[in-house]
Amino acid sequence: MSKGWPGKYFRPSEFACSCGRCSMDKVKPELVKVLDKAREHLGVPLRINSGVRCDNHNMAVGGVSTSLHLGYPLKGKVADRIGFAADVTYSNAGLRNPLNMCRLYMALESFGRPISLGLGLYPSFVHVDVRGLQGRKAARWADRHFGWGRLHHD
């Protein structure tokens, strides 16, 4: 890994904006550290679906204007922004199911607790952000299409 990079399992390029036109690639080291701990705990490779995003790419993927993928500060040069969020999944597509997404979510919850994370549970990935570094409160949500049925009492 590059000198000063906090990650053991992730490369800086995995967090770069995937638009192909901008040069955004910086993320908060605390985000990488939490992801590394979750990866170590789970014992299988993880993949970053989306790291930092430029404004155009964020709009193209349907991201909200307040997305922590956008990087901060929002004023100044885009290349100077630092991302606070990533969408992460399993590298092995066969592991991308609701139960394993819950396992990934719980690992991130456990290792990121001191930072006040934002965690979003989706059918094939988990959103994680380090919003607590901005003084924001932790947040949790699940996609409405998340594949769990209701429990029924017989």
Side-chain angles (χ1 to χ4, degrees):
M1 296 296 155
S2 61
K3 187 177 180 178
W5 177 251
K8 177 179 177 182
Y9 296 104
F10 297 95
R11 296 181 312 277
S13 61
E14 293 180 79
F15 294 91
C17 182
S18 58
C19 75
R21 293 183 301 278
C22 76
S23 58
M24 290 182 66
D25 64 357
K26 298 178 186 79
V27 293
K28 293 299 281 186
E30 295 86 349
L31 176 64
V32 179
K33 290 175 185 175
V34 168
L35 287 163
D36 256 4
K37 288 176 184 176
R39 193 287 187 208
E40 180 86 28
H41 174 77
L42 294 166
V44 295
L46 299 175
R47 186 179 108 199
I48 304 300
N49 285 347
S50 183
V52 67
R53 300 176 189 155
C54 67
D55 298 317
N56 289 335
H57 185 63
N58 190 58
M59 196 169 12
V61 299
V64 297
S65 62
T66 56
S67 172
L68 290 174
H69 287 279
L70 286 169
Y72 289 82
L74 289 175
K75 295 181 180 179
K77 295 181 187 177
V78 171
D80 291 338
R81 291 185 190 173
I82 298 174
F84 280 71
D87 295 338
V88 61
T89 191
Y90 293 90
S91 294
N92 178 341
L95 295 176
R96 296 178 198 153
N97 60 59
L99 179 59
N100 284 332
M101 289 305 123
C102 284
R103 288 180 173 132
L104 174 55
Y105 180 98
M106 293 304 294
L108 291 164
E109 170 75 48
S110 176
F111 296 114
R113 189 162 288 144
I115 302 176
S116 294
L117 297 179
L119 287 172
L121 184 59
Y122 295 86
S124 62
F125 70 94
V126 175
H127 168 93
V128 57
D129 66 60
V130 290
R131 63 185 56 214
L133 298 177
Q134 294 181 327
R136 296 170 61 182
K137 292 181 180 179
R140 306 291 183 265
W141 65 92
D143 180 72
R144 65 185 176 91
H145 295 106
F146 191 77
W148 289 100
R150 294 181 55 97
L151 295 176
H152 299 279
H153 184 280
D154 291 333

